[in-house]
């Protein structure tokens, strides 16, 4: 599952780059956000926590485990 979210993150960041180059800035920002979201889920899974796949819980768990220690 961790690898699946990592792959989604990579796909989304590539999509963000393509969209940015085509000057679709809002869509690019959206894909960049989802790249970060999926990368955060992958990072959380790598430390053995299975988060609820929702934005607020992922943000909280990621921040707690990667910034507040």
């Amino acid at each position: 599952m961790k690898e699946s979210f990592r792959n989604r993150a990579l796909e989304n960041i590539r999509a963000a780059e393509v969209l940015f180059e085509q000057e679709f800035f809002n869509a690019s920002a959206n894909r960049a956000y989802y790249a970060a979201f999926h990368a955060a889920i992958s990072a959380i899974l790598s430390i053995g926590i299975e988060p609820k796949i929702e934005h607020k819980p992922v943000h909280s768990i990621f921040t707690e485990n990667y910034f507040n220690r």
Side-chain angles (χ1 to χ4, degrees):
M1 191 155 121
K2 174 183 73 169
E3 208 52 38
S4 171
F5 282 101
R6 181 183 177 279
N7 291 338
R8 290 181 195 186
L10 292 171
E11 180 180 328
N12 278 309
I13 200 64
R14 285 192 297 264
E17 291 169 347
V18 169
L19 290 164
F20 186 85
E21 289 168 1
Q22 296 297 314
E23 298 184 3
F24 292 106
F25 301 120
N26 185 52
S28 175
N30 178 274
R31 291 300 89 204
Y33 173 84
Y34 276 96
F37 178 65
H38 291 133
I41 294 169
S42 180
I44 291 167
L45 290 168
S46 75
I47 59 173
I49 299 172
E50 291 198 27
K52 188 172 187 178
I53 309 301
E54 294 178 2
H55 299 269
K56 192 171 184 174
V58 168
H59 180 270
S60 295
I61 294 167
F62 185 83
T63 300
E64 181 179 318
N65 285 278
Y66 287 94
F67 291 105
N68 292 338
R69 289 195 171 205

